Amino acid sequence: MKDNLQKLKQDILQKLSEVKDGSALRNLEIKTLGRKGELTEMLRKINTLGLEEKKIVGKLANDIKLELAGKFRAAAEVLEGERKNEFIDLTLPGEKTKRGHLHPVTILENELSELFSSLGFSVLSGPELESDYYNFEALNIPADHPARDMQDTFYVARTGAELTRADADGADSNLLLRTHTSPMQVRAMEKYGAPLRVIIPGRCFRSEATDARHEHTFYQLEGLMVDKNISFTDLKGVLEAVVRRLYGAETKLRMRPKFYPFVEPGANFEATCFLCQGRGCRVCKNSGWLEIGGSGMVHPKVLAAGRIDPKAYQGFAFGFGLTRLAMLKYGINDIRLFNSGDLRFLEQF
Ligand code: DAH
């Protein structure tokens, strides 16, 4: 027993001499002098010895324990001293915290929101989870209308509790992810009445087979103006301001008739290609023009759905893809990059 104690002591002293930092020291202390430590276990065995032996071994064990405890304390002091004397160079440059920045679509959205604010438009946002009524019905797209085919989306099943709430609101019970920002036209008219000048940038969804030009999640910007004596020239003036802001003062606007159920007459709008100034190039597929979006005079049925008297008021509306504009502006050839979360892409903006 005595020999074992001496051996254990030497062993512990050896290990102690190898300790290099505070946490290693603490671990060694727990392993040896702690409640379940090696020395402690050995001390427990002393109880099984005879009286005489117990006296001698007990004293030795106690001495060893005290001696070791002292050595541990001394070692701790040395380590602490070393830590205090450690030189910290305060002039070294710190580690840079990574800062995020705005997404390219957000940059464009902010730029356009600023432009429209200066023209007296308010900026609204609307629900991404929309009802069939606002997304289609109120925009003059009835259930059996072929225009629905172009805007297939994701439909959402509802629980009984939600059904009751929606029914009380008078909305219909079919929820879907909005396919465009146009549903906010009717919501804005209902809420604010005429006269009205609003834009609604926001996220939209379609059930698409994705490829470089199609994505299930993308951004649009909707515009709506309702007042007395609003005509097509007002629409054209506003759109001209938009394309000039986007692509420079020399940019020309072209509008051609196009059918959208919620406007009458309806027109697409195009800008001269910013890359070739209308001469024809790869970006505009040699046409000289870039299609930006759709527009038109608000359909009387849509005004009526917004509880505005179509006999007293007129309005114009337009909508375009913010994601698409960002692609054109920054020369991005794959729409899927926007939602990819790929830092190699995002850090370029
Ligand atoms: N909502 C249409 C779409 O997503 C775009 C659009 C066309 C909006 C004509 C309008 C408009 O406000 O007048 O394809």
Side-chain angles (χ1 to χ4, degrees), residues 79-235:
L79 286 174
E80 177 66 7
E82 278 174 11
R83 199 181 63 78
K84 278 199 183 132
N85 288 334
E86 199 181 322
F87 174 67
I88 298 174
D89 185 354
L90 294 173
T91 64
L92 276 178
E95 224 172 88
K96 270 213 175 123
T97 15
K98 285 208 168 172
R99 285 184 72 181
H101 60 81
L102 297 179
H103 189 275
V105 171
T106 313
I107 296 174
L108 204 57
E109 179 184 323
N110 290 351
E111 205 175 294
L112 286 166
S113 297
E114 209 177 280
L115 166 70
F116 280 106
S117 300
S118 74
L119 295 174
F121 285 73
S122 311
V123 183
L124 302 183
S125 63
E128 294 172 355
L129 186 60
E130 191 46 284
S131 69
D132 182 280
Y133 173 74
Y134 285 109
N135 197 79
F136 294 123
E137 288 288 332
L139 292 171
N140 196 28
I141 314 173
D144 54 0
H145 198 284
R148 286 205 177 195
D149 288 351
M150 292 183 299
Q151 303 198 359
D152 190 15
T153 185
F154 303 96
Y155 293 85
V156 177
R158 300 218 287 184
T159 64
E162 286 164 323
L163 265 175
T164 332
R165 191 166 6 100
D167 291 344
D169 285 344
D172 76 353
S173 54
N174 297 321
L175 280 184
L176 45 83
L177 294 185
R178 68 175 175 193
T179 57
H180 48 180
T181 41
S182 305
M184 272 303 287
Q185 287 188 24
V186 177
R187 284 188 182 275
M189 287 189 277
E190 280 180 346
K191 187 160 180 194
Y192 301 108
L196 187 63
R197 257 186 273 183
V198 289
I199 61 158
I200 308 100
R203 187 155 57 165
C204 306
F205 311 84
R206 289 190 197 176
S207 174
E208 297 272 9
T210 55
D211 60 29
R213 298 196 305 127
H214 297 90
E215 175 62 295
H216 49 69
T217 304
F218 56 95
Y219 287 78
Q220 284 195 344
L221 189 143
E222 191 82 14
L224 172 70
M225 177 164 183
V226 180
D227 208 334
K228 291 189 164 134
N229 302 318
I230 293 289
S231 74
F232 206 88
T233 54
D234 298 306
L235 169 62

Side-chain angles (χ1 to χ4, degrees), residues 25 49 110 155 189 218 251 292 325:
L25 181 70
L49 299 174
N110 290 351
Y155 293 85
M189 287 189 277
F218 56 95
T251 313
I292 308 287
L325 281 195

